[in-house]
Amino acid sequence: MGNGTNQFASTSLPRHLARGLLGFGSVAAGLALVPVLGLAALLLVPVGLVALRGCPMCWTMGLVQTLSAGRVRRECVDGRCELRVPGHAPQG
């Protein structure tokens, strides 16, 4: 994130939530359907992990980045970095 890009963010909130629904749904279905479909149900787990871009925590970080996109900016001056909301005066 040092270059100002959001590594995990999606281009839109609906797209990110759809990825989460597909990812978490596939992982949950893959694990829940093992008693019914056998080990073949576990093939859904990698599909879910691909949708989540590797891990549930990565998806969660992306959700936070997607929600904060354009609302919070990191500004670094003289080796000191702070989070700022555009249009608001700094406090303190």
Side-chain angles (χ1 to χ4, degrees), residues 13 62-71:
L13 183 60
L63 178 62
V64 171
Q65 289 178 350
T66 301
L67 288 172
S68 69
R71 296 184 192 154

Side-chain angles (χ1 to χ4, degrees), residues 7-82:
Q7 292 177 310
F8 302 104
S10 293
T11 55
S12 71
L13 183 60
R15 180 178 289 169
H16 196 82
L17 293 176
R19 275 190 28 249
L21 181 64
L22 176 67
F24 287 113
S26 294
V27 170
L31 296 175
L33 291 174
V34 168
V36 177
L37 300 176
L39 293 179
L42 292 178
L43 293 174
L44 289 172
V45 173
V47 172
L49 291 177
V50 167
L52 295 173
R53 293 187 183 163
C55 69
M57 184 55 72
C58 299
W59 180 87
T60 304
M61 289 170 38
L63 178 62
V64 171
Q65 289 178 350
T66 301
L67 288 172
S68 69
R71 296 184 192 154
V72 178
R73 301 251 189 258
R74 182 174 60 182
E75 293 181 6
C76 298
V77 178
D78 295 328
R80 182 175 174 208
C81 296
E82 296 178 347

